Amino acid sequence: MGILEGKKILVAGVLTEQSIAFSVARIAQEQGATVVLSNFGRALSLCQRIAKRLPQEAAVVELDVTDAEHLSTLADRLREHVDSLDGVVHSIGFAPQEAMGDGFTEVAWEHAATAFQVSSWSLASLTQACRPLFGDTASVVGLTFDATVAWPVYGWMGAAKAALESTSRYLARELGSEGVRVNLVAAGPLRTMAMKSIPGSAQFEEAWEGRAPLGWSVTDTEPAGKAVAALLSDWFPATTGEIVHVDGGFHAVGV
């Protein structure tokens, strides 16, 4: 039996096989979970194709976290595939190109606002949308990129990740009495679609190559996927509001 045997999990934001979310979905299935995926728009067809590459083909629901109707109907649409949820994985993040790179103070609010709505506020809105399906306990796990420092070229996406990390703590505080745990995994740089969209992201790879004590592979999403699966399981029953670093130890060392 796997550590997720019998659990039902929504993995939101699966796009390609190189994504952490795909690794999470695969590992969750291997550990005994029933998995439902989500995405929207042009990415929905990609997600549906990816769903067929899992050990067992997963159901897919459409979810745009900026669409109020999608959020309000999510629980009912999920019930077409599962009768409850034990876990939710938030692998959702986006910032317009105008919000990243240099010129931090010159970015228009509309571009920064998009980054905050999609990358930060959506953790709360997605959790709320799934709340009717939670039982006595549930685990919500999001993905971040360490926001304790200011990174080159990351711009307002870095600020949005800082907001995501704060949001996870407030959710942990508010929902703990309902048996809901909320945690984040801070992975090192990986060649996902999201990272490739950041101008100058090669700087991250070079930094990790030289400083991560355990070394770091920018193409291996398995360590991050395993960490998310562990947090979804019952093996962390008293852990909430936490950020688990899966970065080869980079965050713990100096120059």
Side-chain angles (χ1 to χ4, degrees):
M1 291 179 62
I3 62 172
L4 297 176
E5 192 70 34
K7 292 192 181 295
K8 297 151 192 174
I9 295 167
L10 170 66
V11 182
V14 177
L15 184 60
T16 71
E17 285 183 88
Q18 288 71 47
S19 67
I20 298 173
F22 179 83
S23 183
V24 171
R26 176 182 57 78
I27 292 168
Q29 285 190 345
E30 292 170 351
Q31 292 298 318
T34 298
V35 173
V36 180
L37 310 181
S38 78
N39 218 310
F40 76 101
R42 289 180 294 179
L44 183 62
S45 60
L46 290 174
C47 186
Q48 290 167 333
R49 285 202 293 271
I50 286 297
K52 298 176 182 178
R53 298 177 188 174
L54 290 168
Q56 296 89 40
E57 183 175 351
V60 178
V61 297
E62 186 171 18
L63 175 62
D64 175 355
V65 291
T66 68
D67 188 313
E69 184 177 356
H70 279 200
L71 290 166
S72 65
T73 62
L74 179 61
D76 287 337
R77 291 185 291 118
L78 283 170
R79 285 191 183 99
E80 297 174 11
H81 307 287
V82 292
D83 57 3
S84 62
L85 278 180
D86 301 288
V88 176
V89 179
H90 178 279
S91 181
I92 299 170
F94 172 75
Q97 288 291 312
E98 295 90 342
M100 294 189 286
D102 296 325
F104 186 81
T105 60
E106 300 165 15
V107 172
W109 166 240
E110 63 186 287
H111 302 313
T114 297
F116 280 107
Q117 181 180 15
V118 177
S119 308
S120 313
W121 179 81
S122 63
L123 178 64
S125 62
L126 175 60
T127 301
Q128 178 65 15
C130 294
R131 210 165 163 185
L133 294 174
F134 292 160
D136 293 336
T137 62
S139 176
V140 177
V141 184
L143 296 170
T144 189
F145 188 72
D146 189 352
T148 59
V149 298
W151 297 102
V153 308
Y154 211 32
W156 282 93
M157 191 61 178
K161 287 296 187 184
L164 174 72
E165 294 177 8
S166 181
T167 298
S168 72
R169 290 188 288 270
Y170 276 91
L171 288 172
R173 178 185 177 91
E174 183 165 316
L175 301 180
S177 62
E178 299 177 17
V180 179
R181 294 176 288 119
V182 184
N183 295 288
L184 299 177
V185 168
L190 293 161
R191 287 182 188 165
T192 61
M193 191 72 74
M195 186 60 75
K196 289 177 183 176
S197 69
I198 300 172
S201 61
Q203 296 178 59
F204 296 113
E205 296 185 14
E206 293 167 4
W208 255 257
E209 185 177 291
R211 283 180 50 194
L214 292 176
W216 184 252
S217 170
V218 296
T219 59
D220 185 6
T221 58
E222 181 113 346
K226 285 182 174 178
V228 173
L231 288 168
L232 289 168
S233 79
D234 296 329
W235 284 94
F236 283 87
T239 299
T240 194
E242 186 61 87
I243 300 175
V244 177
H245 289 83
V246 183
D247 64 354
F250 182 95
H251 74 283
V253 299
V255 176

